[in-house]
Amino acid sequence: IRYRNPWTGFQRLSFVDVFQDQFDAEKVRGRIILIGATAPILQDLSPIPNSKQAPVPRVEIHAHALDTILHQKFLKNTPQFSLILSAGLAIIGSLFFLHFPLLMSTLAAAALFLLTFLGARFSFQQGLILQLIPLFFTLAFCYLAALMYRYFTELKQKRYLKHAFAHYVSEIFIGDILEHPEKLKLGGD
């Protein structure tokens, strides 16, 4: 169902007005009429995806479905585009996560999640369905894989430095060297 956006409800007529013949018959002539409960006390309500209103009467959901069919404005599923976007996010995210500092990588991951969500929301409003779950899993996997890779390579490098300098430098200074590798330079202090 492609719900109208921005939300615009359908014209309603009260049953009492129809029963007492207190309505303009010209407004309904040649139109499709759906009959259903709209009073909140009857609890025939349901939320819809793009409405900021409280749950709407279910008869309006039927009206939206009928409107979608009559105007041939169906939502289009885009699995191939989602797959291409997922691969692109994997490549861009992995490169970014591997080559930038941890804080910047984390901020980039959060920004990519937000941009993916906003992009999916925008595409949904245009009638295209993006598969969000694979996109989010791709981003999360790339971020976690890059973190694991960085953790193990940095751990391996620290072990190498510790082992290399253990023969020449006191244990007290090795911790300082590992914490601040930029202090390593020819000459002396």
Side-chain angles (χ1 to χ4, degrees):
I1 300 173
R2 186 168 183 180
Y3 295 94
R4 290 184 181 180
N5 195 8
W7 172 257
T8 53
F10 295 92
Q11 182 181 358
R12 293 182 185 179
L13 285 175
S14 168
F15 172 76
V16 174
D17 291 342
V18 174
F19 186 71
Q20 294 176 351
D21 200 25
Q22 296 179 351
F23 70 100
D24 186 6
E26 285 302 314
K27 287 187 176 181
V28 295
R29 189 176 317 278
R31 304 219 177 181
I32 297 173
I33 298 172
L34 301 176
I35 300 171
T38 59
I41 196 164
L42 296 175
Q43 298 184 1
D44 190 24
L45 304 173
S46 182
I48 63 171
N50 62 342
S51 173
K52 293 180 181 174
Q53 296 178 337
V56 298
R58 290 180 195 211
V59 69
E60 286 197 25
I61 295 173
H62 291 279
H64 283 282
L66 192 57
D67 185 60
T68 300
I69 294 168
L70 290 174
H71 292 101
Q72 297 291 305
K73 290 188 175 182
F74 300 104
L75 292 171
K76 295 178 187 105
N77 198 0
T78 58
Q80 294 86 6
F81 182 69
S82 294
L83 185 64
I84 292 168
L85 188 60
S86 183
L89 282 174
I91 293 167
I92 292 169
S94 296
L95 290 173
F96 198 88
F97 302 151
L98 286 173
H99 296 291
F100 287 96
L102 184 61
L103 179 62
M104 191 179 285
S105 295
T106 304
L107 292 175
L112 281 173
F113 271 104
L114 182 65
L115 285 173
T116 302
F117 175 76
L118 293 175
R121 186 178 172 123
F122 176 76
S123 72
F124 183 76
Q125 290 172 349
Q126 304 309 311
L128 300 172
I129 300 172
L130 275 182
Q131 306 296 325
L132 270 179
I133 300 299
L135 295 175
F136 283 159
F137 274 125
T138 299
L139 278 175
F141 176 77
C142 289
Y143 180 70
L144 291 175
L147 280 180
M148 299 270 298
Y149 175 78
R150 288 173 75 165
Y151 174 76
F152 286 116
T153 56
E154 287 177 12
L155 186 65
K156 186 177 177 181
Q157 184 182 14
K158 282 187 178 187
R159 274 188 285 187
Y160 172 76
L161 284 174
K162 189 173 183 178
H163 180 68
F165 284 102
H167 301 294
Y168 308 107
V169 181
S170 170
E171 280 283 328
I172 299 167
F173 296 114
I174 291 178
D176 189 44
I177 290 171
L178 291 176
E179 290 295 320
H180 305 285
E182 69 275 359
K183 289 183 179 180
L184 289 175
K185 59 184 178 210
L186 292 176
D189 281 332

